[in-house]
Amino acid sequence: MNSLEEKTITIKNIYKGRIIELNIEEVLLPNGKNSQREIIKHPGAVAIIALTDQNKIVLVKQYRKALEKNIVEIPAGKLEKGEKPVITAIRELEEETGYTTDHLKYLTSFYTSPGFANELVYLYYTDQLYSLENKKELDEDEFVELLELSLEDTEKLINDQVIHDAKTMYALLYLKLKRLEKNENQ
Amino acid sequence: MNSLEEKTITIKNIYKGRIIELNIEEVLLPNGKNSQREIIKHPGAVAIIALTDQNKIVLVKQYRKALEKNIVEIPAGKLEKGEKPVITAIRELEEETGYTTDHLKYLTSFYTSPGFANELVYLYYTDQLYSLENKKELDEDEFVELLELSLEDTEKLINDQVIHDAKTMYALLYLKLKRLEKNENQ
């Protein structure tokens, strides 16, 4: 028995958009009372830690309307319906960076905002990048600038809150830890 | 000039709830075309990395309706309107764990889902916890179970996707890195 579970009584769909859906769910709490949960349904996403052969991290600068500012993130994108995350990851890497790879390693996955959304991000890693001869087109409403930075360079961007999102900051910690573990084993 | 900026043409509020708001924003893209953005407004949140004097990590198990499962997270909670994040952090630590502290260090902040939401999480750290003599009440629709785990114990929960959210996985990487850096300097 799951003593913390909240059973669904009713689901009311408020909005079904291009990317997200909003439902209001009436739930039965563990103490027998009712409450409402505001839930965003999201198709899920991928993000890619990609290192060049000069050991630079491939990043994209992008205007995020929700934040009303540009931020710098690791390449990422939403899953298309029924698409396997690894396929999305290759597609987004190609579209956003002009690189491709045949060595993509799955690292982990995490929910971004479990309090109100089911968005799950699948995180991949590659240090084997090849430049595409023919660049892929971005989505028609997508505009990004490519950056290639050393791990040290990213520190300043974190301090300046230009790098300012969870998946990218997780990725940079991951790389720091990986580097430190490698040094320890040498 | 910010060449990536998307100027707002109109904002249509779809929903204003207890926690989140949903707006559809008509925007002018950098290429002169129009597009729509689905934007969730969120009050922001705090999360706390809290270590006991036995060096255990304080965690809470909680049912997340958006995910339809229990997950284990670091203590966290939403900002009340106008509340300073550090005040929220102390309150949530007290309510969710029965501990308090007078040494809370601000670590960093990150947006959780910049593609569609403005939720910003402020992350704090403390290794100086004191048990409250009189436990605080949780919100009336909030039910949590307290756990205190070693960093090693959390690895299994990550593998089993019981620990499965970005802020908690960031926090655990942070602690791993901190431990490794400490060992290096000894």
Side-chain angles (χ1 to χ4, degrees):
Chain A
M1 199 189 107
N2 180 343
S3 63
L4 298 168
E5 188 176 345
E6 301 174 359
K7 292 199 192 304
T8 306
I9 301 169
T10 58
I11 300 177
K12 185 181 170 191
N13 178 256
I14 302 292
Y15 177 77
K16 193 168 182 143
R18 210 161 49 107
I19 297 158
I20 58 175
E21 281 180 45
L22 169 59
N23 292 337
I24 308 300
E25 306 199 7
E26 185 81 19
V27 300
L28 181 65
L29 298 174
N31 65 0
K33 292 187 179 176
N34 287 11
S35 188
Q36 280 195 343
R37 301 294 182 204
E38 301 164 356
I39 309 277
I40 298 294
K41 299 284 183 186
H42 185 282
V46 300
I48 308 106
I49 302 176
L51 299 183
T52 68
D53 49 15
Q54 272 88 44
N55 217 21
K56 297 284 177 80
I57 306 152
V58 180
L59 296 157
V60 291
K61 186 197 268 190
Q62 193 169 2
Y63 188 78
R64 291 301 201 174
K65 192 63 191 168
L67 321 182
E68 297 284 1
K69 69 172 186 174
N70 290 333
I71 61 171
V72 167
E73 300 166 63
I74 56 173
K78 289 176 298 294
L79 298 180
E80 301 292 338
K81 209 179 160 79
E83 192 176 40
K84 283 191 182 163
V86 65
I87 303 296
T88 319
I90 299 278
R91 179 167 50 76
E92 291 293 340
L93 181 69
E94 293 183 348
E95 287 177 5
E96 293 196 346
T97 74
Y99 288 112
T100 191
T101 184
D102 51 9
H103 284 78
L104 205 56
K105 185 185 162 197
Y106 170 73
L107 290 183
T108 193
S109 68
F110 42 69
Y111 289 101
T112 54
S113 301
F116 70 93
N118 74 341
E119 185 193 26
L120 182 61
V121 173
Y122 299 86
L123 185 64
Y124 292 87
Y125 174 88
T126 182
D127 55 11
Q128 298 187 45
L129 294 175
Y130 313 96
S131 289
L132 285 171
E133 283 185 28
N134 300 304
K135 291 268 192 295
K136 298 285 172 73
E137 297 257 322
L138 284 163
D139 290 344
E140 60 175 8
D141 64 349
E142 201 178 15
F143 301 85
V144 306
E145 276 174 30
L146 194 63
L147 288 87
E148 296 184 5
L149 299 177
S150 68
L151 197 47
E152 291 69 29
D153 289 341
T154 63
E155 295 286 345
K156 185 175 166 3
L157 294 192
I158 292 175
N159 289 337
D160 292 347
Q161 302 192 327
V162 172
I163 290 174
H164 205 190
D165 79 302
K167 68 179 175 309
T168 305
M169 289 174 66
Y170 178 93
L172 297 175
L173 269 196
Y174 171 86
L175 290 173
K176 261 177 109 164
L177 188 64
K178 192 175 162 114
R179 183 183 290 184
L180 213 57
E181 285 174 338
K182 197 175 162 193
N183 290 346
E184 262 209 343
N185 294 332
Q186 274 174 353
Chain B
M1 197 188 106
N2 180 344
S3 63
L4 297 170
E5 189 176 344
E6 300 175 359
K7 291 198 192 304
T8 306
I9 301 169
T10 57
I11 299 177
K12 184 180 168 191
N13 179 255
I14 303 291
Y15 177 78
K16 192 170 183 141
R18 210 160 49 107
I19 297 158
I20 58 175
E21 281 180 44
L22 169 60
N23 291 338
I24 309 300
E25 306 200 6
E26 184 82 21
V27 300
L28 181 63
L29 298 174
N31 65 0
K33 293 187 179 175
N34 287 11
S35 189
Q36 280 196 342
R37 300 295 182 203
E38 302 165 355
I39 309 276
I40 298 294
K41 299 286 183 185
H42 185 282
V46 300
I48 309 108
I49 302 176
L51 297 183
T52 68
D53 48 15
Q54 271 88 45
N55 216 23
K56 297 284 177 81
I57 305 153
V58 180
L59 296 157
V60 290
K61 186 196 269 190
Q62 192 170 2
Y63 188 78
R64 291 302 202 171
K65 192 63 191 169
L67 319 183
E68 297 284 3
K69 69 171 187 174
N70 289 333
I71 61 170
V72 167
E73 300 166 63
I74 56 172
K78 288 177 299 294
L79 297 180
E80 300 292 338
K81 210 180 159 80
E83 192 177 40
K84 283 190 182 163
V86 65
I87 303 297
T88 318
I90 298 279
R91 181 167 49 74
E92 291 292 340
L93 181 69
E94 292 183 348
E95 288 178 4
E96 293 195 344
T97 74
Y99 288 112
T100 192
T101 184
D102 51 8
H103 283 79
L104 205 56
K105 186 185 163 196
Y106 170 74
L107 290 184
T108 193
S109 68
F110 42 70
Y111 289 101
T112 53
S113 301
F116 69 94
N118 74 342
E119 184 192 26
L120 182 61
V121 172
Y122 299 86
L123 185 64
Y124 292 87
Y125 173 88
T126 182
D127 53 12
Q128 298 186 46
L129 293 175
Y130 313 97
S131 289
L132 286 171
E133 284 186 27
N134 300 304
K135 292 267 191 297
K136 299 284 172 74
E137 296 257 323
L138 285 164
D139 291 344
E140 60 175 8
D141 64 350
E142 201 177 17
F143 301 85
V144 305
E145 277 175 28
L146 193 64
L147 287 88
E148 297 184 5
L149 299 176
S150 68
L151 196 47
E152 289 70 27
D153 290 340
T154 63
E155 295 286 345
K156 183 176 167 3
L157 294 191
I158 292 175
N159 288 337
D160 292 347
Q161 303 193 326
V162 172
I163 290 176
H164 206 189
D165 79 302
K167 67 177 178 308
T168 304
M169 289 175 66
Y170 179 93
L172 297 176
L173 269 196
Y174 171 86
L175 290 173
K176 259 177 112 164
L177 188 64
K178 192 175 160 114
R179 183 183 289 184
L180 212 57
E181 284 174 339
K182 197 175 161 194
N183 289 347
E184 262 208 344
N185 294 331
Q186 273 174 354

